[in-house]
Amino acid sequence: MNNITSRIAAIKQRMAAACSRAGRHPDDVRLLLATKTVPADHIKAAFAAGATLIGENKVQELRDKFEALQDVPHEKHFIGHLQTNKIKDVLKYGVSCIQSLDRLSLAEKLDQRLREAHRTMDVLVQVNTSGEASKFGLQPADVPGFIRALAQFPAIRVTGLMTIGLFSADAEKARPCFRLLRDVRDTVGAMSLPQVTMRELSMGMSGDLEVAIEEGATLIRVGTAIFGERVHPDSYYWPERPSQG
Ligand SMILES: *Cc1c(COP(=O)(O)O)cnc(C)c1O
């Protein structure tokens, strides 16, 4: 087995063990590969090992890898900060879900583009559950009102929430973040809004996926544990001062 194959197998084992501890069915948690900075041939090796879902943080990388990955069937999500003027590229390069919807101005432009294309799109709303200023996402208390306001955008289908837990060598430190996301999901779910299903909780990464699964994750996003350390620090993707636009 090559490196990527064995690392995916190891992640699947960690997922299965966490599901078993939590009394959950392994099929209820999907693995998304966070492929920022990962070259297309490594991603193809992951597909050959059974991966089917990737997430990119930057439109530039979506574009650069698009052709090389085209001949392998797979699903692609967008998991990074999205600028309004890049929406058309996200649609063009085959993204099926934007996990990082975090403002109405973005929703408005996305809805416009989708309606022009006579289509709809699943989105997750990104929530800042750690209180860190460097993280994108809505404050938890603002999420119900935000999702209610999305009803004015008929092409957008809200299917759940995404968060990045508190970074720490101790994964337990992320647990309150994941619990908070689940609570917000339950609150919004109880509102029974049209076009809103709240079936997805995207939370958990290489270091804290077990805790996330125990707290109800349906999608975990794993990069480093499969592809190794990245050349760019994460601050390259999650700037200190989130810019709007
Ligand atoms: C990079 C990234 C991940 C994966 O992080 P790892 O620690 O490398 O597993 C998950 N979610 C988002 C939004 C990311 O940018």
Side-chain angles (χ1 to χ4, degrees), residues 173-232:
K173 295 258 166 66
R175 192 181 294 275
C177 302
F178 299 150
R179 258 188 206 159
L180 181 54
L181 197 72
R182 191 182 62 198
D183 286 348
V184 175
R185 192 265 319 264
D186 292 346
T187 301
V188 176
M191 289 158 58
S192 299
L193 299 166
Q195 289 169 26
V196 174
T197 58
M198 301 312 275
R199 64 173 180 267
E200 302 284 9
L201 280 180
S202 176
M203 58 190 195
M205 317 195 328
S206 292
D208 53 20
L209 66 91
E210 285 88 355
V211 176
I213 289 172
E214 286 165 18
E215 297 301 332
T218 62
L219 265 172
I220 60 166
R221 311 178 307 269
V222 178
T224 316
I226 290 168
F227 298 111
E229 293 297 329
R230 288 178 286 271
V231 277
H232 296 299

Side-chain angles (χ1 to χ4, degrees), residues 34 36 57 79 162 164 205-206 221-224 230 234 238:
K36 54 177 179 272
N57 293 63
I79 61 173
M162 184 270 260
I164 298 169
M205 317 195 328
S206 292
R221 311 178 307 269
V222 178
T224 316
R230 288 178 286 271
D234 281 341
W238 306 325

